[in-house]
Amino acid sequence: MRTPGAWNFLLPGFAARQPFAMLTISIVLLVQHTTGSYGSAGAVSAVAGVSMALFAPFTGKFADRHGQRAVLLPGVLVHTASGVALTVLALTHAPLWALFAAAVPTGASVPQIGPMVRARWGVKVGGSRLMPTAAAFESVTDEFTFVLGPLFATALCTAVNPAAGLITEASLTLVGGLLFAAQKATQPVPSGHLAGADRHGSALAVPGVRVLLVAFLGIGAVFGGMQVSLAAFTESIGHPGWNGLMYGVFAAGNMISGLVCGAIAWKVAPQRRLLVGYTALAVTASGLWTAHSALLLAGIGLLVGCCIAPALITGYTLVDSLVAPGARTEAFTWLTGAVALGQAGAVTLAGQLEDRFWDGAGFLVPMGGTVLALITLFVLRSRLAPRRGEARVVARGVGHRVPVSVD
């Protein structure tokens, strides 16, 4: 926190990323109120989530090449306008297809503040021993955001007006995004302004990034599966109000382990840390469906949460060694998008399992997602080792030098 200039982007960055955690629940509560259907509400929310996951990497790539400010200024305007349009359509009882049409630009234009903040940390402390600490700090900040955001949105929608959550989300995005964009001094130098930059390179061309995508899809499956299955479980035992408390325990485990990871000066290679941490995540997630009491489920959920942060932190840390500086924002948005995509798919699949089978069947989704991702990590673990010059070839276009004789 004593890094010069860090507070200049951290404070507006925190304000600008808060709406990200409010969007999904705000859409669900508004659309459910106006249509009376949780299915329609979940479908509209899923469209926004998938749209965000698909478009985020392209905005990240554009930010790498032309600057974060060039993406943020039009992005927050489009997001605010589309969010207001979605609100108006829902309140006027527009047909479902119209809500889907408005949800696409609403999700696609979500500002990728988290990846942009991580890219700014890379400029400040990249390559130093402080980078894992910065990654841990960002993980804790993300988790705090995802705890506070839904609570804030739910309070607005239930105590003020069903549309208050989405309107507040759009307003905070506009104000926070503009304040963050104003911090020009700390943003990475656009790769398009660097000599010899390859304008056709992509972070996705790095094999290690593709492996990390699978790992982050599995993490998204944990988030999505937990959200649906905890709600179904608490309702089945007659205590639906315990849902928020139990999810808070899961999130608390994530935050605590993130703080611990940031305080440790790691000597173990990040590739090995990722394999060990992800193994622990898959093992603990595989025990969720066996819990038959709220106390046991809360305990297992706490352990799962404790295993999430190390995997996230190590994955983001690996990006620093796998990808050149000119492609980091894009790489971070690919990973963030993978979590969102895994979450959207898990919400849908877990809901179907809960409807068709026993209460708690949705917990099979976190188990399946993490086990499949763990197998992929072990099989392709060699691709996580940074190869000299690999990232530079992708992002900068530097080729091999031809040896010459010297007198």
Side-chain angles (χ1 to χ4, degrees), residues 280-296:
L281 175 61
V283 170
T284 54
S286 297
L288 287 168
W289 71 276
T290 64
H292 298 291
S293 69
L295 183 61
L296 179 59

Side-chain angles (χ1 to χ4, degrees), residues 26 83-84 87-88 163-172:
S26 296
V84 171
T87 303
V88 172
L166 196 54
I167 291 296
T168 303
E169 186 274 339
S171 302
L172 287 175

Side-chain angles (χ1 to χ4, degrees), residues 310-332:
L312 283 173
I313 292 166
T314 309
Y316 282 123
T317 302
L318 278 168
V319 171
D320 186 52
S321 60
L322 290 170
V323 181
R328 281 178 186 157
T329 306
E330 182 199 352
F332 288 137

Side-chain angles (χ1 to χ4, degrees), residues 16 31 39-40 98 132 143 149 183 189 195 206 208 219 227 261 282 285 287 311 330 381:
V31 176
S40 297
E143 196 56 44
Q183 309 303 316
V189 177
V206 180
I219 292 173
Q227 288 175 355
C261 286
E330 182 199 352
R381 61 187 181 276

Side-chain angles (χ1 to χ4, degrees), residues 24-404:
T24 299
I25 188 65
S26 296
I27 293 176
V28 168
L29 294 176
L30 173 61
V31 176
Q32 192 280 330
H33 174 79
T34 57
T35 64
S37 169
Y38 277 107
S40 297
V44 175
S45 178
V47 168
V50 172
S51 179
M52 188 278 290
L54 295 178
F55 280 87
F58 298 100
T59 61
K61 187 173 184 177
F62 192 88
D64 280 327
R65 292 183 175 177
H66 302 285
Q68 295 180 0
R69 182 182 173 88
V71 173
L72 283 171
L73 292 179
V76 296
L77 295 176
V78 172
H79 184 75
T80 302
S82 56
V84 171
L86 178 57
T87 303
V88 172
L89 289 171
L91 292 176
T92 56
H93 302 282
L96 191 59
W97 64 264
L99 300 182
F100 288 153
V104 171
T106 301
S109 58
V110 170
Q112 299 300 311
I113 301 297
M116 290 182 181
V117 171
R118 286 183 168 89
R120 295 187 186 218
W121 273 121
V123 173
K124 291 292 184 180
V125 299
S128 74
R129 296 180 64 180
L130 285 176
M131 192 60 202
T133 303
F137 176 80
E138 288 304 308
S139 178
V140 172
T141 303
D142 280 342
E143 196 56 44
F144 182 71
T145 298
F146 276 97
V147 172
L148 186 62
L151 292 176
F152 185 37
T154 301
L156 288 171
C157 292
T158 55
V160 181
N161 187 278
L166 196 54
I167 291 296
T168 303
E169 186 274 339
S171 302
L172 287 175
T173 298
L174 179 63
V175 176
L178 292 178
L179 288 175
F180 185 77
Q183 309 303 316
K184 295 185 292 184
T186 56
Q187 75 170 349
V189 177
S191 63
H193 297 171
L194 299 173
D198 180 6
R199 296 178 181 271
H200 299 285
S202 171
L204 196 59
V206 180
V209 172
R210 298 196 293 270
V211 176
L212 289 176
L213 282 180
V214 178
F216 277 57
L217 280 169
I219 292 173
V222 175
F223 284 124
M226 290 285 284
Q227 288 175 355
V228 172
S229 302
L230 281 177
F233 179 85
T234 54
E235 185 174 354
S236 69
I237 62 175
H239 296 284
W242 290 4
N243 178 36
L245 176 62
M246 296 186 69
Y247 195 83
V249 171
F250 163 70
N254 197 342
M255 295 177 66
I256 292 170
S257 63
L259 291 170
V260 172
C261 286
I264 297 176
W266 295 99
K267 295 182 180 180
V268 181
Q271 300 93 311
R272 182 173 297 180
R273 296 206 311 267
L274 180 61
L275 291 174
V276 172
Y278 215 97
T279 299
L281 175 61
V283 170
T284 54
S286 297
L288 287 168
W289 71 276
T290 64
H292 298 291
S293 69
L295 183 61
L296 179 59
L297 182 58
I300 299 176
L302 177 66
L303 294 177
V304 174
C306 288
C307 297
I308 287 282
L312 283 173
I313 292 166
T314 309
Y316 282 123
T317 302
L318 278 168
V319 171
D320 186 52
S321 60
L322 290 170
V323 181
R328 281 178 186 157
T329 306
E330 182 199 352
F332 288 137
T333 52
W334 274 112
L335 299 184
T336 303
V339 174
L341 190 61
Q343 183 175 345
V347 166
T348 304
L349 181 56
Q352 293 293 325
L353 292 176
E354 292 289 348
D355 287 340
R356 297 174 182 271
F357 300 101
W358 67 93
D359 293 325
F363 286 122
L364 294 174
V365 175
M367 180 184 72
T370 53
V371 169
L372 290 175
L374 179 62
I375 294 173
T376 303
L377 282 176
F378 268 99
V379 172
L380 303 178
R381 61 187 181 276
S382 61
R383 300 187 180 185
L384 296 175
R387 293 179 174 84
R388 187 177 181 182
E390 179 183 79
R392 303 292 178 182
V393 171
V394 173
R396 300 282 186 90
V398 177
H400 296 287
R401 294 183 180 181
V402 179
V404 296

